Amino acid sequence: MDIKQNSNMLKNEEVNIKIKLAFLWAAVTLCYLYGDYFELYVPRKTEGLINGDNLLDSPMKLLFASILLAIPAVMVFLSVILKPKVNRILNILFGIFFTAIMLLIAFTSLTPWRSFYVFLALLESIITSLIVVYAWKWPKN
């Protein structure tokens, strides 16, 4: 290999598994936020928010939804700070759990006005599946 050809090659650093997992959880969190924001544009959605005719129509349902949606956001941080064994287990468990939830949401949202939701749910299920795969294949010493 000559010097000119060698100088055109870009270096690709290995990214730590913890950083990969944290960024994947961040991507999931952003997709949730975008989905919930775009849902406000669905006809009669804001009307339901104002008059209380919606899925989260009680304090307990709001608390449950808050806990559920806090998990991916907190996993961004936990993926960086936890020790590998616990980290791997939590990423696999929550990854499988959220993949299942997102697939359920995708298949129950098959309407023209929620096609964006189906797209985001399928994207989130791909991302959470990647979380499971990366955590499952956690590098050994």
Side-chain angles (χ1 to χ4, degrees):
M1 183 182 299
D2 66 23
I3 294 173
K4 184 176 180 178
Q5 186 180 19
N6 192 23
S7 67
N8 289 331
M9 295 180 66
L10 299 175
K11 187 174 182 180
N12 187 22
E13 295 290 336
E14 181 67 26
V15 178
N16 183 291
I17 184 68
K18 290 181 169 190
I19 303 301
K20 287 179 187 178
L21 292 169
F23 276 107
L24 287 168
W25 282 113
V28 169
T29 302
L30 289 171
C31 286
Y32 286 154
L33 291 172
Y34 291 138
D36 290 343
Y37 172 74
F38 290 145
E39 190 179 26
L40 295 174
Y41 291 92
V42 173
R44 292 179 296 286
K45 178 64 179 183
T46 54
E47 179 183 314
L49 293 173
I50 293 168
N51 66 25
D53 183 26
N54 59 68
L55 183 63
L56 303 175
D57 59 358
S58 75
M60 288 308 295
K61 288 179 182 178
L62 280 170
L63 176 61
F64 178 73
S66 297
I67 293 168
L68 186 67
L69 293 179
I71 293 170
V74 172
M75 284 304 295
V76 173
F77 176 65
L78 293 179
S79 293
V80 174
I81 66 154
L82 290 176
K83 296 205 180 290
K85 191 173 184 177
V86 174
N87 203 334
R88 180 175 185 256
I89 292 168
L90 287 180
N91 274 283
I92 291 170
L93 291 176
F94 286 138
I96 290 169
F97 177 69
F98 280 96
T99 299
I101 287 175
M102 295 324 299
L103 289 173
L104 177 66
I105 288 172
F107 291 113
T108 58
S109 300
L110 292 170
T111 65
W113 270 104
R114 290 213 161 65
S115 57
F116 71 93
Y117 223 57
V118 173
F119 166 74
L120 287 169
L122 291 175
L123 180 59
E124 291 164 33
S125 64
I126 291 168
I127 296 168
T128 51
S129 294
L130 283 172
I131 289 168
V132 173
V133 169
Y134 277 121
W136 190 268
K137 295 181 175 184
W138 195 289
K140 307 277 190 261
N141 280 336

